[in-house]
Amino acid sequence: MKLGLHISDFTWPAGPTRLGPDLANVARTADDVGFDRVSVMDHVWQIGVIGPPEHEMLEAYTTLGYLVAHTSRVKLLTLVTGVTYRSPGLLAKIVTTLDVLSGGRGMLGIGAAWNEEESRGLGLFFPPLAERFERLEETLQICLQMWSDNDRPYEGTHYQLARTLNSPQALSRPHPPILIGGQGEKKTLRLVAKYAQACNLFPSPELARKLEVLKQHCEREGTDYDAIEKTVLYNFNVGEKGENTGKIIDDLGGLAEQGFTVAHGSVTDVSRIAPLEVIGSEVIPAIANL
């Protein structure tokens, strides 16, 4: 079992003037203590389950580019990119750049997008849900084509690219891993089976059923179900003095028994650094062989 640090809240005690160095310290510590990956949300306003939209939010790929310079080992990704926020050719180029500059640590986390409020607020393109899923599938096809030797045109319903040239190519082979977020049974999990190397699910009583549906899609697509990385959201609160680590270890053990190999999540009071150190010293060693 591996852990991912998900940084979703940038409203920290020292404020925006210290946000750069504080963020670098958080990412560097996660890298040092054994987290497998660091992710950020792809939002331009804060989302309601975390705080009001006026709270601080950093643009995702600018932030990941900054974190490249302050880490040496962790994988870097969005959890997850809204498909309509960037054109597919540009997105493939962005993730390629992240992968090259990080020495092969980039991943593409992607989903169908959902936040209409911020999209309307900043004038971002936000078509109906059915069209967003169509665009998601075409975007996956375009990224995979750009990460191949094929630089021929791409002609889709929503996107037309005259030449899918991508130079330099990504360092990750055969390409940066693709993680699709969401657990819709008819569309999202089918796209995981057809195009992705990882899925990310939300914790719920239906997790086992979602994995079974994914397995059925893999059978239909001729995909090796066991080769797909199963990841799940799990938020970490170690407590004031680390008193919650036992429960965290038990919870992660239960998720591992269901087939999950990575737990991504926010860490309560992450800017204090100490919670990351507790996870590194007590949780990560305990779950390494799950």
Side-chain angles (χ1 to χ4, degrees):
M1 182 67 123
K2 299 175 182 178
L3 300 187
L5 171 62
H6 184 51
I7 306 174
S8 56
D9 184 1
F10 300 99
T11 304
W12 293 349
T17 58
R18 284 286 309 170
L19 192 48
D22 286 349
L23 179 59
N25 194 21
V26 165
R28 198 161 39 236
T29 303
D31 197 52
D32 290 343
V33 303
F35 279 82
D36 180 72
R37 60 198 64 183
V38 173
S39 60
V40 296
M41 296 196 299
D42 190 20
H43 288 291
V44 290
W45 293 353
Q46 184 54 276
I47 63 174
V49 294
I50 297 175
E54 294 80 10
H55 275 193
E56 289 84 350
M57 178 53 59
L58 301 179
E59 193 281 320
Y61 284 102
T62 310
T63 303
L64 292 177
Y66 177 74
L67 296 184
V68 167
H70 295 284
T71 57
S72 61
R73 187 187 52 78
V74 289
K75 302 179 184 72
L76 297 165
L77 71 154
T78 61
L79 201 60
V80 289
T81 290
V83 69
T84 53
Y85 286 18
R86 298 164 193 83
S87 62
L90 179 60
L91 177 61
K93 188 68 177 180
I94 290 169
V95 176
T96 299
T97 301
L98 176 68
D99 191 64
V100 169
L101 296 184
S102 67
R105 296 186 284 127
M107 294 180 65
L108 171 59
I110 193 165
W114 62 268
N115 196 324
E116 183 173 5
E117 181 185 21
E118 67 179 8
S119 297
R120 303 298 184 206
L122 295 190
L124 303 177
F125 181 58
F126 196 79
L129 180 60
E131 181 178 334
R132 297 202 306 275
F133 270 103
E134 292 171 3
R135 289 177 178 272
L136 176 56
E137 183 157 19
E138 289 191 17
T139 295
L140 292 164
Q141 293 169 354
I142 290 166
C143 287
L144 288 170
Q145 183 167 323
M146 288 184 64
W147 288 327
S148 73
D149 295 330
N150 176 8
D151 68 352
R152 293 191 296 273
Y154 176 89
E155 292 290 337
T157 301
H158 300 286
Y159 301 109
Q160 295 79 43
L161 284 70
R163 186 186 181 192
T164 53
L165 176 66
N166 190 31
S167 179
Q169 265 297 352
L171 301 184
S172 295
R173 289 290 178 264
H175 55 75
I178 297 171
L179 176 149
I180 297 177
Q183 53 192 27
E185 296 182 6
K186 294 181 179 179
K187 294 182 179 181
T188 304
L189 295 179
R190 179 186 67 82
L191 294 177
V192 171
K194 190 170 183 178
Y195 298 104
Q197 290 72 57
C199 64
N200 185 243
L201 304 181
F202 307 110
S204 78
E206 298 182 333
L207 278 178
R209 187 165 70 85
K210 299 297 181 181
L211 291 179
E212 180 58 34
V213 170
L214 175 60
K215 182 180 291 186
Q216 292 169 7
H217 281 301
C218 286
E219 291 172 355
R220 284 190 286 268
E221 296 292 339
T223 301
D224 182 358
Y225 170 79
D226 293 330
I228 293 178
E229 185 179 66
K230 289 83 176 175
T231 81
V232 63
L233 290 174
Y234 180 91
N235 292 329
F236 301 89
N237 183 354
V238 300
E240 287 293 321
K241 298 180 181 180
E243 64 270 17
N244 297 336
T245 55
K247 180 181 184 305
I248 292 172
I249 292 167
D250 290 343
D251 288 348
L252 295 176
L255 291 169
E257 288 178 357
Q258 294 184 64
F260 291 96
T261 56
V262 180
H264 301 263
S266 301
V267 173
T268 302
D269 295 328
V270 69
S271 64
R272 290 198 301 112
I273 302 300
L276 291 173
E277 295 173 334
V278 170
I279 292 171
S281 62
E282 298 185 28
V283 177
I284 291 176
I287 65 167
N289 295 321
L290 292 179

Short mmCIF file of all heavy atoms in Angstrom, two decimals, residues 44-45 257 266:
data_model
loop_
_atom_site.label_atom_id
_atom_site.label_comp_id
_atom_site.label_asym_id
_atom_site.label_seq_id
_atom_site.Cartn_x
_atom_site.Cartn_y
_atom_site.Cartn_z
N VAL A 44 -9.97 26.54 -9.97
CA VAL A 44 -9.51 27.93 -9.91
C VAL A 44 -10.15 28.67 -8.75
O VAL A 44 -9.71 29.77 -8.39
CB VAL A 44 -9.80 28.65 -11.25
CG1 VAL A 44 -8.89 28.10 -12.34
CG2 VAL A 44 -11.26 28.49 -11.67
N TRP A 45 -11.20 28.12 -8.18
CA TRP A 45 -11.78 28.58 -6.92
C TRP A 45 -11.79 27.41 -5.94
O TRP A 45 -11.82 26.25 -6.34
CB TRP A 45 -13.24 29.04 -7.12
CG TRP A 45 -13.41 30.27 -7.95
CD1 TRP A 45 -12.44 31.09 -8.45
CD2 TRP A 45 -14.66 30.81 -8.40
NE1 TRP A 45 -13.01 32.11 -9.17
CE2 TRP A 45 -14.37 31.97 -9.16
CE3 TRP A 45 -16.00 30.44 -8.23
CZ2 TRP A 45 -15.36 32.75 -9.75
CZ3 TRP A 45 -16.99 31.22 -8.81
CH2 TRP A 45 -16.68 32.37 -9.56
N GLU A 257 -7.34 -4.87 1.60
CA GLU A 257 -8.03 -6.15 1.44
C GLU A 257 -9.04 -6.11 0.29
O GLU A 257 -9.30 -7.13 -0.36
CB GLU A 257 -8.74 -6.53 2.74
CG GLU A 257 -7.78 -6.95 3.85
CD GLU A 257 -8.51 -7.26 5.13
OE1 GLU A 257 -9.76 -7.08 5.16
OE2 GLU A 257 -7.85 -7.66 6.12
N SER A 266 -5.87 14.41 1.72
CA SER A 266 -5.39 15.59 2.43
C SER A 266 -4.91 15.18 3.82
O SER A 266 -5.41 14.21 4.40
CB SER A 266 -6.50 16.63 2.54
OG SER A 266 -6.96 17.01 1.25
#
